[in-house]
Amino acid sequence: MTLPIPPQSSADLWILRQPPLGSCTGELDLTELDAAEQSRAGTCRREAGRLLYSSAHVGLRRVLSAYLDVDPRSLRMGREACPCCDEPHGRPVLEAPDTPLHFSLSHSNGMALIGVSTVPIGVDVEKVPTTETVRVCTPALHPDEQRELAAGPQDVVVFGQMWTRKEAYLKGLGTGLGRPLAYDYLGADPALRPYGWEVIDVPCGPQHVAAAALRGTQRARVRVHWLAMETLYKDNPAPLDHQRSLLAELAA
Amino acid sequence: MSRPQEPEPRLPPAAPPSSGPALRHAHPAERGRLLEDLVRQEIGYVLNCPPAAVDRHQTLTDLGVGSMTGLELQRRIAAVLAIEPELTFILRAPDTGTLARYLDRLLTSSKAGTEQRDIADPAAK
């Protein structure tokens, strides 16, 4: 089934929840991955990590190929040059087929998030941090973010949500965490955030925080979809249905 | 919205603050081993698992070090060794030994490190 390309200033987000180990009802076809992805999947010794990596990348290829109406194996992924150092570890891009689609992928502790748009996009999903992680990491943030956190109640979710906005934005920019975390404000006030980007918090359950950043100045909208594990299996996969998988529509 | 806080059992802090000077004086071979031990202790700390469970042959990402825990690890190593490792190096480290060798280079190329090594080991000149 072909998915409709997201309209201007909008994105589709696909959330994948990894099933508990041993409860998968089907098998992934790792030959859908390219050599680099297969190698990465193979070197991960922890079974849970290997399954999350494999399902996130099989999912990314299945989703992109459904928008483009091509075989997942025909997609060629590459990296843009990093805006900081010109090395080839900038934003991931589709090198083939020729397409206006941009995408971003993130995975953390049992959950993966895929973003697809016609504008540059960054997404991030993280496990909710511990209070100790928050304590140690806070001094590295933008001064206004630190002030904002200090003024509110100590809340690991508030910190985690701010962090995912920042990382989604930095992934959209293409620098990733190579750009100092203190440079940009991604706090609670949208008016003070970087110009030219729209950033949206994405609810994804009690254990994770997530966000998406889209390039543009028009009010961005995202549709959040459920990427069921059953759509990724090798044999008789469930169809990727744009309507039946819809969880929520969000606006910046 | 506030949510119930899970209890957070933590292992005791892995290394005493600022063991940088002591490590700089150590013999290079010994220093490499001590640094890898330190790396595994600190990874165990941020991931809340015993250092012995930290596989030496996995990427830090595959061990479970994410961006936030990566920054926590970077800040802790910076405090213990008085050096400033790059967060991106930590997140892309292919294994604990590579990270330890990177820290070793930072440790011995810092100005204080060079002076102390010169005093401790004249043959190194």
Side-chain angles (χ1 to χ4, degrees):
Chain A
M1 182 176 293
T2 309
L3 298 171
I5 302 280
Q8 204 63 37
S9 310
S10 73
D12 283 344
L13 303 182
W14 295 86
I15 293 178
L16 172 74
R17 188 84 181 86
Q18 181 181 337
L21 288 178
S23 72
C24 289
T25 56
E27 257 184 82
L28 298 172
D29 183 358
L30 296 186
T31 67
E32 287 177 21
L33 304 179
D34 68 22
E37 290 165 330
Q38 286 185 32
S39 162
R40 265 298 310 273
T43 53
C44 186
R45 293 191 191 189
R46 287 159 60 244
E47 195 184 352
R50 195 164 57 235
L51 177 62
L52 181 61
Y53 180 90
S54 305
S55 48
H57 284 262
V58 167
L60 175 65
R61 283 177 175 271
R62 288 266 175 118
V63 165
L64 289 175
S65 64
Y67 285 103
L68 299 168
D69 201 15
V70 295
D71 186 278
R73 291 177 185 80
S74 71
L75 301 173
R76 200 170 73 239
M77 317 277 196
R79 302 294 286 241
E80 286 181 342
C82 169
C84 297
C85 64
D86 235 27
E87 295 290 318
H89 55 236
R91 278 190 316 115
V93 287
L94 268 173
E95 291 177 341
D98 191 28
T99 165
L101 279 190
H102 295 264
F103 69 92
S104 181
L105 168 67
S106 176
H107 46 82
S108 169
N109 291 77
M111 190 170 282
L113 180 64
I114 295 167
V116 181
S117 180
T118 56
V119 293
I121 183 173
V123 301
D124 188 47
V125 60
E126 301 287 339
K127 192 174 90 165
V128 172
T130 64
T131 50
E132 173 67 1
T133 302
V134 171
R135 186 185 69 77
V136 174
C137 292
T138 299
L141 299 181
H142 188 282
D144 291 341
E145 293 173 334
Q146 293 186 48
R147 268 191 286 278
E148 200 172 288
L149 291 169
Q154 288 275 310
D155 190 333
V156 289
V157 175
V158 170
F159 178 94
Q161 191 66 69
M162 183 187 286
W163 180 279
T164 58
R165 284 195 296 267
K166 185 181 288 278
E167 196 167 343
Y169 165 68
L170 294 175
K171 287 173 78 175
L173 275 186
T175 62
L177 297 168
R179 181 174 165 90
L181 297 167
Y183 279 16
D184 307 289
Y185 170 87
L186 274 303
D189 186 350
L192 300 178
R193 293 180 195 158
Y195 178 77
W197 288 82
E198 294 279 303
V199 187
I200 299 178
D201 293 354
V202 181
C204 56
Q207 293 178 312
H208 292 78
V209 278
L214 276 72
R215 196 164 79 189
T217 52
Q218 289 189 353
R219 193 159 181 251
R221 305 181 70 83
V222 299
R223 284 196 186 82
V224 185
H225 296 265
W226 186 249
L227 183 59
M229 195 71 184
E230 288 72 26
T231 63
L232 308 184
Y233 291 142
K234 177 159 55 173
D235 301 313
N236 304 315
L240 272 172
D241 188 302
H242 202 245
Q243 285 308 314
R244 290 181 59 188
S245 62
L246 187 63
L247 286 171
E249 295 193 59
L250 308 170
Chain B
M1 185 185 76
S2 69
R3 58 187 77 208
Q5 296 268 314
E6 285 175 27
E8 288 169 9
R10 281 288 193 178
L11 300 164
S18 196
S19 47
L23 274 163
R24 283 195 189 100
H25 283 296
H27 187 272
E30 176 72 355
R31 196 170 59 228
R33 194 184 59 75
L34 291 172
L35 278 169
E36 190 169 0
D37 286 349
L38 174 76
V39 161
R40 293 176 75 209
Q41 281 176 346
E42 293 295 344
I43 291 172
Y45 183 83
V46 301
L47 297 181
N48 203 21
C49 71
V54 176
D55 190 329
R56 293 172 187 274
H57 306 291
Q58 288 281 276
T59 69
L60 266 63
T61 311
D62 287 344
L63 286 172
V65 176
S67 55
M68 274 186 271
T69 43
L71 178 62
E72 185 184 4
L73 183 63
Q74 189 242 9
R75 296 321 306 154
R76 290 182 57 85
I77 290 172
V80 171
L81 296 179
I83 53 175
E84 284 292 328
E86 294 280 344
L87 174 56
T88 48
F89 190 99
I90 290 175
L91 295 175
R92 291 187 198 130
D95 51 56
T96 54
T98 305
L99 178 55
R101 286 190 293 279
Y102 168 68
L103 299 179
D104 197 2
R105 286 197 300 280
L106 293 183
L107 202 60
T108 52
S109 66
S110 66
K111 190 167 180 289
T114 310
E115 285 166 4
Q116 288 184 8
R117 190 182 57 189
D118 290 350
I119 295 163
D121 182 11
K125 279 183 183 173

